[in-house]
């Protein structure tokens, strides 16, 4: 008969007892008396009332009538020095998650499946709002038909037809486990086990999908435990030293901050009455470690980092929002010559050659120094932009709305425009999610410029009280330069998290391919003056504007 066979792969040289979750009761059946450890079935059952039984609880019906029995099964078949683990029902609940090979199913699927006969893929993005999506097609297709952007998306799973040279249809899919739809009888487990082991050990997927190992979510508990040990060691080094601005681990807001009422960060806040006793205008890792009140006996632990919060407060020290400290941590570490990145509470592994390409691209991007002499010391980002815009060399376009005909929504074309045709987009420094917002804004501005000609007269109207002229002809060589400017208190060169560099390369390449030059810029922060402004009680008076011609042009 044909059915889906689901299998995991145990790590090398582990016994069946080590592969099972020892907290779950089960019964063992040795199916081959001569080789007891090679061929073992484990079963467990569970009795529970049907989930819909509560609908009839007011009637006199014996509860036993609603009882149902579910059976979980795990079948172990040994291939050389490890086990292929087949699960049935909810059998995966009996498996020790730290004892299996992560990514086993994805590799088998890439090696067994025909790359020209894909049915679906699961992927995750590294954008400001991480999206897990499944793309399916009606016809058998190659990876190009799924619009997979390998330079900033992670392949999590794929489903493909197996080209086995005959008319027997087989389909394979997987991530940590592999699911193979095939003809199955008990006698075929040996053949299937050998087959999927050969597929796992094959290197052919690297030729079919050379980008597949660029970035991956690290889910191996053993690897994560080692990385977290490195993280804790580094945090203790920072705490014990005078290292105020480490380059390899740092704090950054995992979400975009609304600076309307924001006064600073507090770690930790006094929970009584929701008030705090002090705040900092920027996140600082060493300051957090000094103030977070870790238990003296236990010191800094992962559990403590996951349970402690960084609070955002307003001028009255009222709490506006909070982040888990662990989610705000960013770090870049090496383990066994592999690069790992901590970002937004998750660990990722990065292929060495890909990491080198990303770093090289970032280092070679031109840096514009036009804003380094204009430090930030303002209440909000919009206040800074209005202060430095002189209407002669720099014009303000922040909150100066434009619209296109197709989407009735306000957009910012850019934040600032200079006399020498620089279109500047500005954001406060933060984690990769925050920087992604800046990159999306820049890409959106370019798309509007190229595809929505009604944008140009709206921008021109916003500039009519300045000395700056703006014209654009899509048929002529590009004269505009797109500047990505980041407000950053950190001293020295502009620093970005690795995944921000990944997304930067993706967006900047797309912009460059459309004929525009891309530059980076750093806006320094005068922290003393910033604190004085926030303490002064001054309020933001920035107001948005819409061009008068917008309604006429967009309907």
């Amino acid at each position: 008969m044909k059915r889906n066979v689901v299998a995991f792969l145990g790590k090398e040289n582990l016994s069946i007892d080590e592969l099972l979750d020892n907290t779950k009761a089960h019964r063992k059946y040795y199916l081959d008396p001569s080789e007891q450890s090679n061929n073992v079935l484990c079963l467990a059952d569970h009795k529970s009332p049907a989930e819909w039984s509560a609908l009839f609880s007011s009637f006199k019906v014996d509860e036993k009538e609603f009882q149902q029995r579910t059976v979980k099964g795990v079948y172990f078949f040994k291939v050389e020095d490890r086990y292929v683990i087949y699960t049935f029902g909810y059998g995966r609940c009996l498996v020790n998650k730290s004892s299996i090979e992560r990514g086993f199913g994805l590799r088998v699927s890439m090696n067994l499946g025909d790359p020209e006969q894909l049915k679906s893929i699961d992927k995750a993005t590294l954008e400001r709002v991480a999206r897990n999506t499944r793309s399916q097609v009606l016809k058998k297709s190659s990876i190009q038909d799924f619009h997979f952007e390998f330079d900033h998306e992670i392949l999590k799973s794929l489903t493909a037809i197996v080209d086995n040279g005959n008319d027997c249809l087989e389909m394979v899919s997987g991530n940590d486990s592999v699911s193979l739809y095939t003809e199955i009888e008990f006698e075929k487990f040996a053949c299937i086990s050998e087959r999927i082991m050969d597929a796992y050990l094959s290197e052919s997927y690297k030729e079919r999908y050379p980008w597949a190992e660029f970035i991956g979510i690290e889910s191996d508990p053993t690897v994560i435990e080692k990385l977290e040990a490195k993280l804790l060691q580094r945090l203790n080094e920072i705490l014990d030293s005078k290292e105020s601005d480490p380059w390899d681990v740092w704090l950054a807001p995992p979400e975009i901050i609304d600076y309307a009422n924001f006064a600073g960060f507090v770690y930790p806040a006094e929970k009584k009455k929701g008030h705090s006793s002090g705040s900092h205008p920027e996140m600082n890792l060493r300051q957090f470690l000094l103030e977070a009140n870790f238990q003296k006996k236990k010191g800094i632990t992962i559990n403590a980092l996951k349970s402690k919060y960084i609070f955002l407060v307003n001028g009255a020290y009222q709490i506006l929002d909070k982040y888990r400290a662990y989610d705000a941590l960013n770090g870049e570490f090496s383990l066994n010559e592999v690069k790992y990145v901590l970002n937004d509470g998750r660990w990722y592994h990065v292929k060495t050659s890909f990491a080198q390409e990303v770093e090289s691209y970032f280092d070679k991007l031109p840096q514009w120094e036009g804003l380094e002499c204009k430090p930030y010391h303002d209440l909000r980002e919009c206040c800074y932009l209005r202060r430095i815009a002189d209407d002669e060399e720099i014009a303000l376009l922040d909150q100066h709305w434009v619209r296109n005909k197709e989407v009735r929504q306000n957009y910012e074309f850019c934040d600032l425009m200079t006399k020498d045709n620089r279109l500047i987009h500005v954001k406060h420094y933060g984690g990769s999610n925050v920087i992604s917002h800046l990159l999306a804004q820049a890409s959106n501005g370019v798309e509007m410029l190229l595809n929505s000609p009604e944008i140009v007269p709206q921008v021109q109207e916003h500039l009519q009280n300045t000395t700056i002229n703006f014209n654009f002809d899509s048929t002529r060589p590009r004269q505009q330069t797109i500047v990505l400017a980041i407000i950053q208190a950190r001293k020295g060169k502009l620093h970005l998290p690795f995944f921000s560099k990944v997304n930067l390369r993706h967006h900047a390449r797309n912009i460059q391919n459309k004929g525009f030059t891309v530059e980076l810029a750093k806006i320094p922060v005068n922290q003393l003056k910033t604190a004085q402004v926030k303490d002064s009680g001054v309020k933001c008076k920035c107001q948005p504007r819409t061009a008068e011609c917008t309604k006429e042009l967009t309907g």
Side-chain angles (χ1 to χ4, degrees), residues 211-226:
W211 39 261
E213 294 186 319
F214 283 178
I215 304 171
I217 297 171
E218 185 55 59
S219 55
D220 189 325
T222 304
V223 173
I224 291 174
E225 184 178 352
K226 291 178 180 178

Side-chain angles (χ1 to χ4, degrees), residues 96-159:
N96 177 3
K97 301 300 185 296
S98 65
S99 68
I100 62 171
E101 293 287 0
R102 301 290 173 169
F104 161 71
L106 179 58
R107 184 182 295 190
V108 171
S109 299
M110 288 192 289
N111 280 325
L112 276 186
D114 185 343
E116 298 301 319
Q117 298 191 74
L118 300 182
K119 299 294 289 181
S120 73
I121 66 168
D122 291 4
K123 59 185 180 179
T125 69
L126 298 173
E127 293 291 346
R128 70 178 185 274
V129 179
R131 288 175 289 125
N132 294 312
T133 57
R134 172 168 293 171
S135 300
Q136 296 177 317
V137 291
L138 297 176
K139 297 190 298 182
K140 295 171 285 191
S141 304
S142 66
I143 193 70
Q144 286 78 15
D145 296 315
F146 291 88
H147 304 292
F148 183 80
E149 298 182 277
F150 62 84
D151 63 342
H152 82 137
E153 291 182 326
I154 302 170
L155 180 65
K156 300 182 72 177
S157 176
L158 64 79
T159 301

Side-chain angles (χ1 to χ4, degrees), residues 14 35 42 73 85 169 256 283-284 288 307 337 393 412:
L14 293 184
E35 295 287 348
C42 295
I85 308 165
L169 174 68
I256 295 170
M283 281 189 179
N284 181 277
F288 164 75
S307 62
E337 299 184 356
E393 298 295 327
E412 283 181 344

Side-chain angles (χ1 to χ4, degrees), residues 182-442:
T182 187
E183 192 74 33
I184 182 66
E185 298 171 1
F186 179 77
E187 291 74 17
K188 293 187 176 181
F189 275 115
C191 177
I192 291 174
S193 300
E194 295 282 355
R195 186 180 170 199
I196 60 178
M197 274 299 299
D198 288 344
Y200 175 69
L201 297 173
S202 172
E203 300 281 310
S204 63
Y205 74 96
K206 293 183 178 179
E207 297 178 7
R208 296 175 170 187
Y209 312 96
W211 39 261
E213 294 186 319
F214 283 178
I215 304 171
I217 297 171
E218 185 55 59
S219 55
D220 189 325
T222 304
V223 173
I224 291 174
E225 184 178 352
K226 291 178 180 178
L227 290 168
E228 289 181 338
K230 278 180 165 279
L231 171 65
L232 294 176
Q233 179 184 354
R234 188 71 182 98
L235 293 179
N236 279 298
E237 290 173 356
I238 294 167
L239 182 60
D240 295 337
S241 70
K242 294 183 178 180
E243 192 175 358
S244 61
D245 209 8
W247 65 270
D248 55 342
V249 59
W250 62 96
L251 287 173
E255 299 174 6
I256 295 170
I257 295 173
D258 180 1
Y259 283 90
N261 297 310
F262 173 79
F265 300 100
V266 175
Y267 13 84
E270 295 176 359
K271 294 185 178 179
K272 292 181 180 179
K273 298 181 182 178
H275 285 66
S276 163
S277 57
S279 67
H280 306 275
E282 302 287 339
M283 281 189 179
N284 181 277
L285 178 58
R286 188 165 188 275
Q287 202 67 40
F288 164 75
L289 296 174
L290 289 169
E291 297 181 17
N293 295 332
F294 292 100
Q295 292 183 18
K296 290 184 179 180
K297 289 184 178 180
K298 294 183 178 180
I300 305 171
T301 65
I302 295 300
N303 285 338
L305 291 169
K306 290 181 177 180
S307 62
K308 288 189 177 296
Y309 287 88
I310 296 174
F311 295 83
L312 285 69
V313 297
N314 61 15
Y317 294 105
Q318 293 175 321
I319 297 170
L320 302 172
D321 202 350
K322 64 180 181 179
Y323 309 131
R324 282 198 323 170
Y326 193 81
D327 294 340
L329 274 170
N330 289 259
E332 298 176 12
F333 297 86
S334 293
L335 180 66
N336 298 328
E337 299 184 356
V338 176
K339 184 183 183 73
Y340 292 89
V341 175
L342 175 62
N343 178 257
D344 291 346
R346 301 193 74 169
W347 288 96
Y348 298 81
H349 54 256
V350 183
K351 189 176 181 180
T352 301
S353 59
F354 178 67
Q356 290 171 344
E357 288 176 14
V358 171
E359 296 290 354
S360 175
Y361 182 87
F362 177 75
D363 291 339
K364 290 177 181 177
L365 264 182
Q367 304 251 349
W368 184 55
E369 299 179 351
L371 296 176
E372 292 199 8
C373 60
K374 296 175 170 52
Y376 177 91
H377 50 80
D378 302 84
L379 188 65
R380 297 177 62 189
E381 180 186 299
C382 56
C383 302
Y384 168 77
L385 297 172
R386 281 155 179 76
R387 177 171 62 81
I388 69 167
D390 56 11
D391 292 337
E392 293 182 4
E393 298 295 327
I394 301 176
L396 177 73
L397 287 173
D398 173 65
Q399 294 183 332
H400 286 38
W401 307 128
V402 297
R403 293 183 196 168
N404 62 37
K405 290 180 180 178
E406 297 175 357
V407 182
R408 291 179 175 274
Q409 182 175 335
N410 291 331
Y411 293 98
E412 283 181 344
F413 176 65
C414 63
D415 291 313
L416 299 169
M417 185 183 294
T418 66
K419 202 168 188 176
D420 56 358
N421 284 316
R422 281 184 165 86
L423 311 182
I424 306 172
H425 301 269
V426 179
K427 277 285 176 288
H428 267 84
Y429 172 77
S432 60
N433 287 344
V434 177
I435 303 302
S436 290
H437 189 276
L438 171 72
L439 301 173
Q441 184 189 59

Side-chain angles (χ1 to χ4, degrees), residues 511-531:
I511 294 171
Q512 290 169 333
N513 289 338
K514 293 175 171 66
F516 297 91
T517 300
V518 177
E519 295 177 338
L520 293 173
K522 180 184 176 184
I523 300 171
V525 177
N526 184 322
Q527 296 195 48
L528 179 60
K529 283 190 175 182
T530 301

